[in-house]
């Protein structure tokens, strides 16, 4: 997709309006990608502010990893829009092989997004205890947004799996989907347990 048509060159209210419009795209996959990337930005904010106050080698390593990762979840927004447009075009054309390829891609994009979200969520969980108290809320909220993006991407996978005509491909996608959700849920629970353990009077 060209930069002119990118989700990331739109005004925020324009993207919201397009998401709410009576048109196929952008849909849940694009919204999931944007949500996850904003969540990662919050985690990075917490790391940067904390590192500016008092440098820590482990935190600095996480900060650099977050900087490298920022933008990757969001890039899947345009990929998702393009994949679904290609699927609709293939369905209209009525070419079986073209439709099969488009179906695989429509399912592969949200799975790849979910993998990226899982990487970001792992980073967020590691970052939270190394983030200054006054910005831990940003890191925690960022982790929740990343998890939401992951979960929304996997809902998109559920919707797309039905178009796969290969039973083996459907089962592989379903297994990967369940694993990603389980791992993401486990990471978020680990963070919540850590947060509650650090809240006075929560024991």
């Amino acid at each position: 997709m060209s930069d002119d048509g990118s989700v990331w060159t739109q005004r925020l209210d324009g993207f919201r309006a397009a998401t709410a419009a009576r048109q196929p795209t952008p849909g849940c996959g694009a919204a999931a990608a944007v949500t996850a990337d904003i969540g990662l930005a919050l985690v990075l904010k917490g790391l940067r502010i904390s590192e500016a106050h008092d440098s820590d080698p482990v935190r600095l390593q996480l900060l650099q990893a977050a900087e490298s990762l920022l933008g990757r979840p969001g890039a899947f927004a345009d990929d998702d829009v393009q994949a679904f447009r290609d699927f609709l075009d293939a369905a209209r054309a009525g070419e079986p092989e073209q439709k099969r390829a488009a179906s695989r891609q429509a399912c592969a994009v949200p799975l790849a997004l979910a993998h990226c979200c899982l990487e970001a969520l792992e980073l967020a969980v590691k970052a939270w205890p190394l983030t200054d108290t006054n910005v831990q809320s940003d890191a925690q909220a960022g982790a929740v947004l990343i998890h939401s993006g992951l979960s929304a991407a996997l809902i998109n996978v559920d919707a797309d799996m039905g178009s796969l005509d290969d039973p083996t491909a459907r089962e592989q996608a379903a297994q990967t989907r369940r694993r990603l959700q389980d791992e993401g849920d486990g990471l978020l629970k680990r963070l919540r347990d850590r947060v509650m353990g650090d809240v006075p009077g929560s024991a």
Side-chain angles (χ1 to χ4, degrees):
M1 182 177 291
S2 68
D3 287 345
D4 290 342
S6 172
V7 163
W8 293 98
T9 59
Q10 297 179 31
R11 285 171 52 100
L12 187 57
D13 59 355
F15 175 67
R16 181 186 64 192
T19 303
R22 192 174 60 186
Q23 60 190 32
T25 60
C28 61
V34 171
T35 298
D37 220 20
I38 296 300
L40 180 57
L42 281 172
V43 175
L44 181 54
K45 174 197 288 289
L47 288 168
R48 283 174 169 165
I49 291 174
S50 302
E51 187 64 15
H53 290 166
D54 180 28
S55 184
D56 177 278
V58 177
R59 182 171 55 222
L60 180 59
Q61 188 176 22
L62 286 171
L63 189 159
Q64 292 168 341
E67 287 177 335
S68 296
L69 187 57
L70 187 66
R72 278 177 48 199
F76 285 102
D78 291 337
D79 292 343
D80 184 82
V81 169
Q82 189 61 56
F84 194 61
R85 286 176 180 170
D86 290 345
F87 174 77
L88 292 177
D89 289 346
R92 294 188 193 103
E95 293 289 339
E97 187 52 43
Q98 182 182 350
K99 185 177 179 182
R100 278 193 291 271
S103 298
R104 290 193 296 269
Q105 183 66 4
C107 197
V109 168
L111 278 175
L113 168 58
H115 276 286
C116 190
C117 289
L118 190 65
E119 184 179 351
L121 189 54
E122 288 173 339
L123 192 153
V125 172
K126 292 176 182 176
W128 185 85
L130 296 170
T131 303
D132 285 355
T133 304
N134 61 331
V135 284
Q136 278 187 328
S137 59
D138 290 298
Q140 183 184 353
V144 171
L145 288 174
I146 295 167
H147 180 269
S148 296
L150 182 151
S151 298
L154 293 176
I155 290 172
N156 203 17
V157 173
D158 291 337
D160 294 335
M161 278 193 299
S163 65
L164 297 174
D165 57 7
D166 181 356
T168 301
R170 277 200 307 273
E171 180 55 31
Q172 288 175 343
Q175 288 178 1
T176 302
R177 184 251 186 271
R178 288 192 294 270
R179 177 180 60 80
L180 289 167
Q181 187 72 70
D182 288 346
E183 291 183 16
D185 291 349
L187 284 167
L188 188 63
K189 182 180 185 303
R190 189 196 311 171
L191 176 60
R192 285 174 170 164
D193 289 346
R194 181 67 185 267
V195 170
M196 291 305 297
D198 284 4
V199 174
S202 63

